[in-house]
Amino acid sequence: MRRRKRKKGSKGQKFSDKAGLSPGTPVFIGRRKQKTTELDVLSYGLDTIREIMPASLEDCVLSDQSGEVTWINVFGIHDVDLISALGERFNIHPLTLEDIVNTAQRPKAEEFDNYFFVVLKMMTYSEKTHEIDIETVSMVFGEGFVISFQERDGDAFDSVRERIRANKGRIRKMAADYLAYALMDAVVDAYFVALEQIGEHIEMVEDEIVANPVSAQMQEIHRLKREILYLRKSVWPLREEIAAILKTESTLVKEETRVYLRDVYDHTIRVIDMVETSRDILSSMHDIYLSSVSNRMNEVMKVLTIIATIFIPLTFIVGVYGMNFDHMPELRWRWGYLYVWGIMFTMTLAMVGYFRKKRWL
């Protein structure tokens, strides 16, 4: 089993880099996962769709057509100047921009006068390395627009893009809040896929522990515990986040979208239950490992004890007739040697038969 190599904080910006700065000063916190920042713009309505890939800052404008929604996707949040320029264009608060470029930001939802700000954690699981990769995704949505910010290219939003392009479902008929819901739903759905894969790996490790416990498995258990703990910290705030959006009285969240948000809320509860179940299983696996090692040791000791028990009377007989006394009557017998061997062989068979009767063998 492979041990995960932890990435050190020296490879990225740290919280100490923004110490002493005024609130609202955007400073990138985290590791850069993409060389350059890229922009995609997707505008759509009921009968129209326009897509610019890649796009420039000048392309990031709201559609002048009534009822159309503009989706701007930013790949790579390390370019603070570009993020700030985009924030000025859409009147995004400096504190929001500060949170956008902070990859360690806790999931949350905040309501402003002209937009909602949402922070999520997008999770992917590698079946090859058995490692969880969590990426911070921020979203700003308002009247007629959604801006999503990701750490790198490649995400769980491809299904949403395909639905928009193919005009499937109701997404082209709804407002920007429905698009924001669809993106949040895609992130939550990715949790189910990753958690199922993690669960399969945990079951495999558990079967290996029961069959043949080795020290490397204990290291894997501790690694998985750390992964699940990090995942729990990323998932647990989702419930409060979506509940806050549901409770808002803002007109940015339409009544017809709240039904779908409640469905995402239910999915979030299921995800949290799955995380807690995996956590409990990993906690019990530690005890299973110790029990398996103990049982294996008991089996070894049982075999050694039986062997020692069989040889104790044989050793006694050999020891008696190995004494150097002149007047031992059996020493002069013609068939004494074979007689002693017969006694020892008979005793061995009798003891083995007794052990089998008691189910010790």
Side-chain angles (χ1 to χ4, degrees), residues 147-166:
I147 308 176
S148 54
F149 301 87
Q150 301 176 235
E151 295 184 52
R152 61 165 178 259
D153 193 2
D155 51 40
F157 298 155
D158 287 338
S159 60
V160 179
R161 294 187 184 94
E162 291 303 319
R163 283 158 53 193
I164 295 174
R165 291 165 183 159

Side-chain angles (χ1 to χ4, degrees), residues 170-344:
R170 62 186 72 234
I171 192 166
R172 296 262 292 265
K173 304 174 185 177
M174 305 290 280
D177 59 333
Y178 187 88
L179 173 59
Y181 146 75
L183 298 179
M184 288 188 285
D185 185 57
V187 171
V188 174
D189 286 346
Y191 282 128
F192 286 107
V193 177
L195 284 170
E196 287 177 359
Q197 295 172 330
I198 294 172
E200 292 175 359
H201 179 59
I202 290 175
E203 289 180 3
M204 182 190 69
V205 174
E206 186 176 18
D207 292 339
E208 291 177 355
I209 289 174
V210 174
N212 183 28
V214 294
S215 59
Q217 293 163 349
M218 182 62 75
Q219 297 174 2
E220 182 69 4
I221 291 173
H222 288 304
R223 187 190 69 82
L224 287 171
K225 278 186 176 181
R226 290 193 298 268
E227 297 277 16
I228 292 297
L229 179 61
Y230 184 38
L231 177 59
R232 184 176 183 270
K233 292 179 179 179
S234 301
V235 172
W236 194 262
L238 275 178
R239 181 171 58 179
E240 301 174 3
E241 178 179 347
I242 298 176
I245 300 176
L246 283 170
K247 292 176 182 177
T248 183
E249 298 180 357
S250 173
T251 57
L252 294 175
V253 181
K254 307 296 188 295
E255 191 63 34
E256 55 267 26
T257 306
R258 296 179 187 270
V259 178
Y260 299 98
L261 287 172
R262 285 197 291 269
D263 183 63
V264 177
Y265 182 83
D266 292 338
H267 290 176
T268 303
I269 300 299
R270 288 175 55 193
V271 168
I272 293 174
D273 289 342
M274 292 175 68
V275 171
E276 293 299 322
T277 300
S278 298
R279 190 181 178 203
D280 293 339
I281 292 174
L282 285 171
S283 298
S284 64
M285 283 173 61
H286 184 272
D287 296 333
I288 293 174
Y289 173 83
L290 295 178
S291 298
S292 298
V293 171
S294 178
N295 291 337
R296 189 178 180 187
M297 181 63 68
N298 289 339
E299 289 294 326
V300 173
M301 293 302 297
K302 183 178 73 173
V303 173
L304 294 178
T305 302
I306 290 174
I307 294 174
T309 303
I310 291 174
F311 275 89
I312 285 174
L314 304 183
T315 305
F316 172 76
I317 295 173
V318 173
V320 168
Y321 288 101
M323 293 185 293
N324 297 320
F325 291 107
D326 291 334
H327 302 288
M328 291 182 66
E330 294 88 355
L331 295 179
R332 305 298 178 184
W333 288 2
R334 178 180 178 87
W335 306 104
Y337 176 74
L338 296 178
Y339 178 74
V340 171
W341 267 109
I343 292 176
M344 291 192 295

Side-chain angles (χ1 to χ4, degrees), residues 97-128:
L97 298 177
E98 181 183 4
D99 291 338
I100 288 173
V101 295
N102 181 7
T103 62
Q105 177 60 50
R106 184 179 184 268
K108 66 176 183 178
E110 290 183 342
E111 180 182 352
F112 291 83
D113 293 336
N114 61 324
Y115 66 87
F116 258 94
F117 174 54
V118 178
V119 181
L120 301 166
K121 297 292 185 178
M122 184 184 300
M123 183 180 70
T124 55
Y125 179 77
S126 173
E127 293 187 7
K128 183 177 180 180

